[in-house]
């Protein structure tokens, strides 16, 4: 049973309620965290406000050293934390180790360096332009990458000189507690980082509306993001939003079809499809469509669904019964609207656990629900196109714009198409994810950027002094 971390101490919640943490592979309760209250938010925001002057004036080199020390401890404890993530959110252990734990450690290290190296002053004519920390930051994070999404917010905020109140997802909160323990151990000053667990409508909304909070950084669904932005607007807070996606994977006729389909299926199914930037729409020329469907089905059937701690597992459970039921509803909706289920479906592959088979739909037309809405599960839609312009139009015809991919025989041709996509990131011929590059979306996929220098800039205010 856990407590809250406020003002440098582990503290009992003002609420007497708790939230069960469930292992999605076994459906067993593995821990409990406090169901925090607005009073807890009040205490945490007060502690962060009290700590802000001292932390913002701390030498950048000292802030960077503390972050570097935390990154080192995170690396040392990566195996333990990966097992924690595999247990409370269901990621296969190898993925939990490499992507869910070691990648955040790398991001934390990058901000340890940027804390000191990022320029804070410049001259424009007779003006001195300075960058200063925005203040107290409320960070509200999701369950699908429970440590990475925290580090993407907390690391740049602390590097900038801000103080933080974090609300991790109550569905998979245990990695947040591991990070709080690391910050305490490296000697982060009291109140600089605070953790309040609880539910979004209670704790998250109290944070977004709190008068001592200067900025809210939120990752989650577009609907919840709109609510957070609405609450923050009452006091004109700065808001950064990383929201949903329905990313397109365009395969041009001269591309290596077999490779593009194989990598596209892998990207769609990573983390059991619980990835906002997953390429869930594979857009293939009509002349190659049947072959692409055949290749996608063959690839999907090679994904073993099972226990996250089994080395052969490639797809673990979805994070909760609610999430599994949501994905099942979308699979049923796809069939009702006339899409053709070519592999997978709604049958449960195991008696216990929130599992869904990797699923592929053919015969998907633009405008179908499964082509437009974020499913957040291992479900791939294949859509045919007739021309390059048609492919770009299909890719851009959603309310989202987070990520995507383009495959072509030449990089120049792929880049030319990528420039036409209204989306925040595009992989060219399978280019790997770069955690130092800015990440964020167009349209209803969000506001602002995370990672890299642009991620740090989100937590800085600009002041001009005319000399």
């Amino acid at each position: 049973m856990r407590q809250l971390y406020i003002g440098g101490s582990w503290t009992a919640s003002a609420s007497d309620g708790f939230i069960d943490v469930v292992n999605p592979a076994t459906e067993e309760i593995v821990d409990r965290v406090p169901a925090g209250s607005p009073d807890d938010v009040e205490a945490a925001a007060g502690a962060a406000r009290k700590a802000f002057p001292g932390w913002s004036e701390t030498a950048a080199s000292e802030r960077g050293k503390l972050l570097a020390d935390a990154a080192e401890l995170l690396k040392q404890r990566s195996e333990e934390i990966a097992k924690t993530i595999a247990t409370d959110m269901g990621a296969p252990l190898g993925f939990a180790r490499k992507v869910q734990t070691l990648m955040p450690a790398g991001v934390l290290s990058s901000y340890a360096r940027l804390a000191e190296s990022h320029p804070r002053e410049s001259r424009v004519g007779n003006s001195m332009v300075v960058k200063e920390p925005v203040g107290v930051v409320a960070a509200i994070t999701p369950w699908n990458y429970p440590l990475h999404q925290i580090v993407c917010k907390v690391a740049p905020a602390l590097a900038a000189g801000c103080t933080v109140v974090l609300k991790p997802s109550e569905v998979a909160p245990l990695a947040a507690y591991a990070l709080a323990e690391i910050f305490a151990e490296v000697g982060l000053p009291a109140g600089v980082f605070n953790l309040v667990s609880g539910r979004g409508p209670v704790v998250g909304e109290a944070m977004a509306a709190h008068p001592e909070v200067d900025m809210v950084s939120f990752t989650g669904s577009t609907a919840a993001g709109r609510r957070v932005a609405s609450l923050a607007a009452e006091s004109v807070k700065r808001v950064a939003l990383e929201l949903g996606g329905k990313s397109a994977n365009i395969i041009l006729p001269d591309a290596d079809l077999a490779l593009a389909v194989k990598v596209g299926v892998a990207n769609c199914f990573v983390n059991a499809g619980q990835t906002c930037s997953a390429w869930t729409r594979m857009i293939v020329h009509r002349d190659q469509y049947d072959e692409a469907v055949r290749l996608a089905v063959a690839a999907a059937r090679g994904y073993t669904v099972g226990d996250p701690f089994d080395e052969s597992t490639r797809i673990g459970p979805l994070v909760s019964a609610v999430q599994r039921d949501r994905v099942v509803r979308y699979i049923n909706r796809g069939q009702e609207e006339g899409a053709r289920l070519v592999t997978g479906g709604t049958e449960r592959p195991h008696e216990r656990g929130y599992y869904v088979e990797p699923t592929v739909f053919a015969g998907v037309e633009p405008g179908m629900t499964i082509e437009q809405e974020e499913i957040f599960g291992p479900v791939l839609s294949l859509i045919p196109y007739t021309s390059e312009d048609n492919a770009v139009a299909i890719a851009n015809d959603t309310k989202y714009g987070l990520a995507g991919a383009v495959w072509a025989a030449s990089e120049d041709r792929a880049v030319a198409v990528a420039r036409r996509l209204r989306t925040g990131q595009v992989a060219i011929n399978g280019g790997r994810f770069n955690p130092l590059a800015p990440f964020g979306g167009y349209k209803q996929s969000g506001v602002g950027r995370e990672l890299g220098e642009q991620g740090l800039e989100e937590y800085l205010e600009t002041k001009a002094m005319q000399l």
Side-chain angles (χ1 to χ4, degrees), residues 324-399:
R324 179 197 60 202
D325 293 347
R326 167 192 167 94
V327 173
V328 166
R329 285 196 298 272
Y330 273 111
I331 294 173
N332 288 331
R333 183 72 176 272
Q335 295 176 87
E336 291 164 3
E337 292 185 3
R340 182 162 51 95
L341 183 68
V342 289
T343 193
T346 60
E347 293 296 320
R348 296 183 64 171
H350 301 286
E351 288 185 10
R352 292 180 65 82
Y354 309 128
Y355 294 97
V356 172
E357 290 280 3
T359 297
V360 177
F361 277 102
V364 179
E365 297 294 334
M368 285 184 174
T369 300
I370 60 170
E371 193 268 339
Q372 286 287 307
E373 297 186 12
E374 185 175 45
I375 298 172
F376 230 58
V379 181
L380 174 66
S381 295
L382 278 87
I383 305 125
Y385 71 88
T386 55
S387 68
E388 188 174 295
D389 287 346
N390 181 220
V392 171
I394 293 169
N396 286 336
D397 188 25
T398 77
K399 65 183 179 181

Side-chain angles (χ1 to χ4, degrees), residues 25-56:
T26 65
E27 304 183 36
E28 297 171 344
I29 297 170
V30 295
D31 211 332
R32 303 177 81 200
V33 297
S37 71
D39 287 341
D40 296 321
V41 173
E42 180 73 26
R49 175 59 62 195
K50 182 179 179 181
F52 175 67
W55 181 246
S56 64

Side-chain angles (χ1 to χ4, degrees), residues 111 114 118 156 238 436-439 448-460:
Y111 282 112
L114 281 170
H118 189 70
R238 180 178 293 194
L436 302 181
F439 180 86
R449 292 294 181 269
E450 294 186 330
L451 299 174
E453 291 191 9
Q454 289 84 354
L456 181 60
E457 288 283 347
E458 294 290 335
Y459 299 92
L460 294 172

Side-chain angles (χ1 to χ4, degrees), residues 90-162:
L93 182 58
F95 183 81
R97 181 187 303 116
K98 182 178 179 181
V99 176
Q100 297 273 22
T101 308
L102 290 176
M103 185 170 70
V107 171
L108 192 52
S109 294
S110 76
Y111 282 112
R113 296 187 294 271
L114 281 170
E116 189 170 6
S117 65
H118 189 70
R120 298 292 183 95
E121 293 187 7
S122 61
R123 289 292 296 267
V124 179
N126 70 311
S127 299
M128 178 185 295
V129 180
V130 297
K131 300 291 182 71
E132 299 176 344
V134 70
V136 175
V137 173
I140 304 172
T141 58
W143 47 259
N144 59 327
Y145 289 85
L147 181 59
H148 177 66
Q149 292 291 354
I150 289 170
V151 169
C152 284
K153 300 178 187 307
V154 172
L158 296 182
C162 299

Side-chain angles (χ1 to χ4, degrees), residues 207-440:
M207 287 167 60
H210 200 282
E212 291 289 0
V213 169
D214 300 295
M215 173 180 172
V216 183
S217 181
F218 171 84
T219 296
S221 71
T222 297
R226 284 195 288 265
R227 176 62 177 163
V228 166
S230 175
L231 291 166
E234 291 296 318
S235 50
V236 199
K237 301 184 195 305
R238 180 178 293 194
V239 176
L241 303 173
E242 200 270 278
L243 307 176
K246 194 68 182 176
S247 300
N249 178 18
I250 297 177
I251 304 175
L252 297 175
D254 61 353
D256 183 334
L257 181 66
L259 178 63
V261 171
K262 178 183 177 181
V263 176
V265 169
N267 182 283
C268 180
F269 292 165
V270 71
N271 208 34
Q274 299 170 129
T275 301
C276 54
S277 56
W279 310 339
T280 53
R281 296 184 297 148
M282 186 177 289
I283 302 175
V284 186
H285 195 277
R286 189 170 294 280
D287 292 345
Q288 298 174 312
Y289 188 76
D290 290 344
E291 176 64 7
V293 171
R294 185 190 69 78
L295 290 167
V297 168
R301 289 177 177 168
Y303 280 76
T304 304
V305 179
D307 180 358
F309 288 90
D310 186 330
E311 290 185 2
S312 67
T313 294
R314 298 183 72 183
I315 294 183
L318 299 185
V319 76
S320 66
V322 169
Q323 188 63 20
R324 179 197 60 202
D325 293 347
R326 167 192 167 94
V327 173
V328 166
R329 285 196 298 272
Y330 273 111
I331 294 173
N332 288 331
R333 183 72 176 272
Q335 295 176 87
E336 291 164 3
E337 292 185 3
R340 182 162 51 95
L341 183 68
V342 289
T343 193
T346 60
E347 293 296 320
R348 296 183 64 171
H350 301 286
E351 288 185 10
R352 292 180 65 82
Y354 309 128
Y355 294 97
V356 172
E357 290 280 3
T359 297
V360 177
F361 277 102
V364 179
E365 297 294 334
M368 285 184 174
T369 300
I370 60 170
E371 193 268 339
Q372 286 287 307
E373 297 186 12
E374 185 175 45
I375 298 172
F376 230 58
V379 181
L380 174 66
S381 295
L382 278 87
I383 305 125
Y385 71 88
T386 55
S387 68
E388 188 174 295
D389 287 346
N390 181 220
V392 171
I394 293 169
N396 286 336
D397 188 25
T398 77
K399 65 183 179 181
Y400 298 113
L402 187 57
V406 181
W407 298 78
S410 77
E411 184 175 285
D412 287 347
R413 185 181 182 193
V415 168
V417 172
R419 289 182 183 277
R420 300 174 65 189
L421 301 184
R422 299 290 295 168
T423 190
Q425 279 206 346
V426 185
I428 304 299
N429 288 333
R432 63 184 175 85
F433 180 75
N434 179 6
L436 302 181
F439 180 86

Side-chain angles (χ1 to χ4, degrees), residues 1-19 32-44 165-168 177 180 193-199 203:
M1 192 176 297
R2 308 288 179 137
Q3 293 184 308
L4 308 179
Y5 188 69
I6 297 175
S9 300
W10 292 104
T11 306
S13 171
S15 162
D16 58 3
F18 284 86
I19 301 169
R32 303 177 81 200
V33 297
S37 71
D39 287 341
D40 296 321
V41 173
E42 180 73 26
V165 180
L166 167 69
K167 191 204 89 66
Y177 279 84
F193 172 83
N194 306 272
L195 186 160
V196 180
S197 59
R199 295 182 173 88
V203 172

